[in-house]
Amino acid sequence: MDAQDRIPMGEVSRRSGFAASALRYYESQGLIRAERSPGGQRTFRRSVLRRLAFIRAASNIGLSLEEIRAELDSLPAERTPTKSDWHRISRHWRNRLDEQMAALERLRDGLDSCIGCGCLSLKHCGIANPGDVAAGSGEGAAYLPRLLRRDPLPRRRETGPT
Amino acid sequence: MDAQDRIPMGEVSRRSGFAASALRYYESQGLIRAERSPGGQRTFRRSVLRRLAFIRAASNIGLSLEEIRAELDSLPAERTPTKSDWHRISRHWRNRLDEQMAALERLRDGLDSCIGCGCLSLKHCGIANPGDVAAGSGEGAAYLPRLLRRDPLPRRRETGPT
DNA sequence: CCTTGAACTCAAGTTCACTTGAACTTGAAG
DNA sequence: CTTCAAGTTCAAGTGAACTTGAGTTCAAGG
């Protein structure tokens, strides 16, 4: 109602943990919305904080921004999400995690079965050459989910929190 | 010994499943070596195929090329790796996988504990805000291993296999 | 009014692991 | 000798998710 509860950039950045540049980027990508002050500066509604928490969580689960955007769009309008919204989504996320864990398990089992042999033969080793997908094509299959990554989450700076 | 068992680019590409451009790239990064024919074309030793299998496997485990390079350098010279080399390395890889699985498990447990509450509060939700690292700093911690990724492994083309 | 700090825009840069394109050469077959 | 696939180099492009920099303006305090 009252224009009073609009939150300015800096505060949203501080409270959400996202750098201001990230917030601007999310806005440009349609993940969040902002109104403008007469002078052209962004003002956010309180609900953006919940939205940002959602984004953070989803991205921790491993969803791309594009997927996150789609999922946010599936939450009707600017309404506070209900329990059933949340159930639907968390089921989805849980599947994601389960798939990833299963892929890692397959990989680990393949590795274990390789440890004895010292092999790593192009044609036989299940880990150099996991046949899951496209295994029919004669030579090296070379496909695997690839849901791995190592870096400790990118550098966060600018107006962001200390 | 004899110059006979040098393998040309196209064959290595076909047999390893790596695109020629990838092989050139790996050479430029010091992951593999190649001699040159009088005319300047690359010729590889048979051992490069084993090396490439290693690279494929390691990258499936989730190591960066930089880490792979380091690990390859730890295999003495151009000698065929012994069983104990392989044991050392596979232990390392297994740890990697175990860490990743553990991180996913923590994430999933956090998600499960969240499902009931429909929360996703910035300050309390363990999944929007997993406190593992840097949890001391008042507001949003915002750190998590981030060993996830979704894309089905990049496009492979050029002289690569069909 | 002046200063300072926070915000603004827009373009360009970053990282990783390659790929693509342009322009040219090699090598084997016919 | 001609032809053509396969090879060469080097620079630039790709995509994701932001960050950085330059140059400018806003908002609040003194």
Side-chain angles (χ1 to χ4, degrees):
Chain A
M1 296 283 162
D2 25 11
Q4 248 63 6
D5 35 350
R6 296 281 163 71
I7 315 178
M9 181 94 260
E11 197 181 333
V12 172
S13 171
R14 235 175 311 105
R15 291 175 58 178
S16 71
F18 285 104
S21 62
L23 298 178
R24 281 189 277 265
Y25 178 70
Y26 289 159
E27 191 196 1
S28 81
Q29 300 302 293
L31 287 152
I32 58 177
R33 280 190 321 131
E35 283 86 42
R36 298 310 182 99
S37 77
Q41 314 214 180
R42 284 169 184 82
T43 56
F44 298 93
R45 306 196 178 172
R46 276 198 325 285
S47 66
V48 86
L49 290 172
R50 176 174 285 270
R51 224 171 154 82
L52 287 169
F54 185 95
I55 292 172
R56 171 93 69 205
S59 115
N60 279 333
I61 303 288
L63 283 76
S64 70
L65 286 193
E66 176 52 29
E67 291 172 302
I68 297 176
R69 208 191 40 63
E71 219 153 61
L72 282 169
D73 289 352
S74 84
L75 298 177
E78 195 69 60
R79 187 202 80 202
T80 308
T82 66
K83 252 180 202 247
S84 92
D85 289 330
W86 174 233
H87 270 228
R88 175 173 47 78
I89 292 193
S90 56
R91 247 195 317 278
H92 177 192
W93 290 6
R94 202 187 198 286
N95 284 343
R96 262 310 245 268
L97 291 177
D98 286 343
E99 277 168 31
Q100 296 181 174
M101 293 189 57
L104 285 181
E105 243 171 286
R106 283 197 301 276
L107 213 43
R108 194 192 52 190
D109 293 348
L111 183 57
D112 283 351
S113 82
C114 267
I115 285 183
C117 72
C119 61
L120 226 45
S121 146
L122 228 11
K123 359 211 134 95
H124 310 309
C125 178
I127 217 181
N129 201 2
D132 286 26
V133 191
S137 10
E139 288 294 332
Y143 299 94
L144 216 238
R146 198 26 115 77
L147 7 94
L148 341 177
R149 204 100 308 238
R150 65 218 76 64
D151 32 39
L153 206 128
R155 53 277 129 182
R156 180 185 324 281
R157 220 157 319 163
E158 211 190 359
T159 321
T162 339
Chain B
M1 298 282 161
D2 27 9
Q4 247 64 5
D5 34 352
R6 296 281 164 70
I7 315 177
M9 181 95 254
E11 196 181 334
V12 172
S13 171
R14 236 175 309 105
R15 292 176 57 180
S16 71
F18 285 105
S21 61
L23 298 178
R24 282 190 275 265
Y25 178 69
Y26 289 160
E27 192 197 1
S28 82
Q29 301 302 293
L31 287 152
I32 57 177
R33 280 190 320 130
E35 283 86 41
R36 298 310 182 100
S37 77
Q41 314 212 182
R42 285 171 184 81
T43 57
F44 299 92
R45 307 196 177 172
R46 278 198 322 285
S47 66
V48 86
L49 290 172
R50 177 174 285 270
R51 225 172 153 80
L52 287 168
F54 185 95
I55 292 172
R56 170 94 68 205
S59 114
N60 278 334
I61 303 287
L63 284 76
S64 69
L65 286 194
E66 177 53 29
E67 292 172 300
I68 296 176
R69 207 191 41 64
E71 219 154 61
L72 282 169
D73 289 352
S74 83
L75 298 177
E78 195 69 60
R79 187 201 80 201
T80 308
T82 66
K83 251 179 203 252
S84 93
D85 290 329
W86 173 234
H87 270 228
R88 176 171 48 77
I89 292 192
S90 56
R91 249 197 314 278
H92 177 193
W93 290 5
R94 202 188 198 285
N95 284 343
R96 261 312 244 268
L97 291 177
D98 286 343
E99 277 168 30
Q100 295 182 175
M101 293 189 56
L104 285 181
E105 243 171 287
R106 283 197 300 276
L107 212 43
R108 194 192 52 189
D109 292 349
L111 183 58
D112 284 351
S113 83
C114 267
I115 286 184
C117 71
C119 62
L120 226 45
S121 146
L122 228 12
K123 358 212 136 94
H124 310 309
C125 177
I127 217 180
N129 201 2
D132 288 24
V133 193
S137 10
E139 288 294 332
Y143 298 93
L144 215 238
R146 203 17 120 82
L147 6 94
L148 340 178
R149 205 104 301 246
R150 66 218 76 64
D151 31 39
L153 206 130
R155 55 277 129 179
R156 180 185 325 281
R157 220 156 319 164
E158 210 190 359
T159 321
T162 340

